Amino acid sequence: MSVGHEITKGLKHKRRQRLGRGEGSKGKTSGRGHKGARSRTGSHIRVGHEGGQTEHAKRFGQRGFSNFKFETRYHIVNLSSLEKKFDAGKIVDAAALQEAGLVPDGKLGVKILGNGELTKALTILAHKFSGSAQKKIEAAGGTCQNPAGEAYAAAVEEAPAAETSTDETPASE
């Protein structure tokens, strides 16, 4: 009978290596090698440092623009999810969405997208609605509201009306 599995079974916590305690046990250099900045006490080498060679981040210039730092992020919820999780006549807000497991937390705003169909009249409180979602919610008899409970007004920019001029220049006499 083999007892190998019984021997290793009890070794849950291995003792840490005691460094610098004599030649027999990682003494002298204490596992740091010989000389150099990394062997010294308190040494810290910055992330990305390449030892004098021009760093990757500096070798290649930045091109384009990234909106990552500044963009407004939302938790996304589709109408198909609302159809499955909520009964007709319910008020759906961020807390109800979190309870239903459709958003992970209340840290970000909620945006409702129009993917899927909605057949129930729901009162939905969210920070943003897509145009198609707003049309489908209102067609089903529901309402779209901002988190304060006011009617949601989409920020739609109206195109300037084309001026109709008939070029009424006086006829030459």
Side-chain angles (χ1 to χ4, degrees):
M1 178 175 150
S2 173
V3 291
H5 62 282
E6 292 177 10
I7 293 171
T8 57
K9 188 176 178 183
L11 296 175
K12 287 186 178 178
H13 303 289
K14 188 176 178 183
R15 287 178 62 183
R16 71 174 184 84
Q17 180 75 48
R18 296 180 68 223
L19 303 174
R21 297 291 186 273
E23 288 294 314
S25 60
K26 291 250 185 190
K28 196 178 155 205
T29 57
S30 303
R32 291 172 175 250
H34 292 278
K35 300 184 183 177
R38 288 190 178 130
S39 71
R40 312 291 188 217
T41 299
S43 71
H44 171 71
I45 296 168
R46 186 174 41 81
V47 173
H49 183 69
E50 297 186 19
Q53 172 177 297
T54 305
E55 297 168 14
H56 186 270
K58 291 182 181 177
R59 270 198 305 265
F60 305 107
Q62 181 180 355
R63 291 186 53 98
F65 173 76
S66 173
N67 194 25
F68 183 77
K69 291 181 187 175
F70 317 109
E71 72 178 337
T72 306
R73 294 175 182 83
Y74 295 99
H75 290 305
I76 302 298
V77 179
N78 283 304
L79 290 180
S80 57
S81 302
L82 297 177
E83 177 73 25
K84 291 176 192 172
K85 297 277 186 176
F86 295 99
D87 297 326
K90 293 284 184 183
I91 296 176
V92 180
D93 60 353
L97 291 169
Q98 192 173 350
E99 191 175 312
L102 296 176
V103 295
D105 52 42
K107 293 179 182 176
L108 301 178
V110 176
K111 183 170 183 177
I112 308 295
L113 299 182
N115 189 4
E117 293 300 319
L118 187 67
T119 58
K120 304 167 185 170
L122 297 172
T123 302
I124 302 172
L125 283 74
H127 294 83
K128 288 246 182 192
F129 295 86
S130 69
S132 62
Q134 191 171 3
K135 287 176 187 171
K136 289 178 182 180
I137 292 166
E138 290 169 355
T143 58
C144 299
Q145 297 178 359
N146 65 17
E150 303 161 350
Y152 178 76
V156 178
E157 295 179 17
E158 293 183 20
E163 295 181 21
T164 54
S165 61
T166 56
D167 281 339
E168 295 179 23
T169 54
S172 59
E173 296 175 26

